[in-house]
Amino acid sequence: NAGVTQTPKFQVLKTGQSMTLQCAQDMNHNSMYWYRQDPGMGLRLIYYSASEGTTDKGEVPNGYNVSRLNKREFSLRLESAAPSQTSVYFCASRGTGIGGNQPQHFGDGTRLSIL
Amino acid sequence: AQKVTQAQTEISVVEKEDVTLDCVYETRDTTYYLFWYKQPPSGELVFLIRRNSFDEQNEISGRYSWNFQKSTSSFNFTITASQVVDSAVYFCALKAAGNMLTFGGGTRLMVKP
C-alpha cells in the first residue's frame, strides 16, 4: 500500500529559488496537511486542506503557498526559498470515519536544505 | 489555544527497563482527541494510538500502555521491557475543535543494549 507519497525525498536549493513539493495519497482521504519539522520543535502545521477545493493557513504559513489539485494531490510551493525554510517537510492525510477523529497518516518526508 | 508539552526531551534507558514518556496538554474544548506517534531513525511517522476525551480507560497493546488522566490533563505512554528497536522520537499530539493537530516537541528515547 502506497499511502502518502512525497516527492522529492531530498532537495538542495539556493536562496531565492522556487520549489514545489508534491504529495499524493491513495486512501481517498478528504483532508490533507503540510507540516515542517525543526529540531526540538516537533511538527508545525503550515497549511491544510479540509476537502478538495479548500485550503487554510496553519501555524506557520508565511513564505509558502499550497494547491489542492484534486482529492489525491496537495502541493506545497516555496516561491523564494530562504535559509530559514531549511527543514524536513511532511505531508499527511486524514479520512473521516465512524468513531471520531481518525489519525493522520504521514508521508516519509522531504529533507530540504536552502543555502 | 491548544498546547502539548513533552517535558522530557531525551531519555536513555538500558534494554529491558520500563520507561514512561510524559505528555501534558492544554485545551478549553470538552471534546478532543489525543494521539501518540513514533518516529524511528528512518524518519517516518507511525501512528500508535488515539484516545478521545470521553474515554479515560487505560489501554495496553503488547509492551505499550497508555494512561489518560483528565484530572491532570496528561496522556502518558509507558513501554515495558524496552528494546533497542523502541529507540525513536515519540510525539504526543492533540486535536480539539477545528482541523489542526498540535504536536508536542517530542521525546527522544534511546534504548541501549
Side-chain angles (χ1 to χ4, degrees), chain A residues 17-72:
Chain A
Q17 287 186 314
S18 61
M19 171 78 189
T20 299
L21 307 186
Q22 307 287 351
C23 175
Q25 52 91 9
D26 62 2
M27 296 175 281
N28 201 35
H29 286 171
N30 287 323
S31 301
M32 296 185 75
Y33 308 80
W34 275 106
Y35 293 88
R36 60 179 289 173
Q37 183 179 20
D38 301 300
M41 300 190 74
L43 279 78
R44 292 183 293 167
L45 183 64
I46 304 171
Y47 270 94
Y48 67 96
S49 171
S51 61
E52 187 178 354
T54 69
T55 61
D56 287 285
K57 294 179 180 180
E59 184 183 353
V60 288
N62 292 346
Y64 304 95
N65 286 303
V66 290
S67 296
R68 184 73 182 267
L69 305 170
N70 47 56
K71 192 171 186 180
R72 289 187 65 248

Side-chain angles (χ1 to χ4, degrees), chain A residues 88-104:
Chain A
V88 180
Y89 291 84
F90 285 96
C91 177
S93 70
R94 183 177 70 87
T96 54
I98 300 171
N101 268 265
Q102 301 304 307
Q104 293 184 15

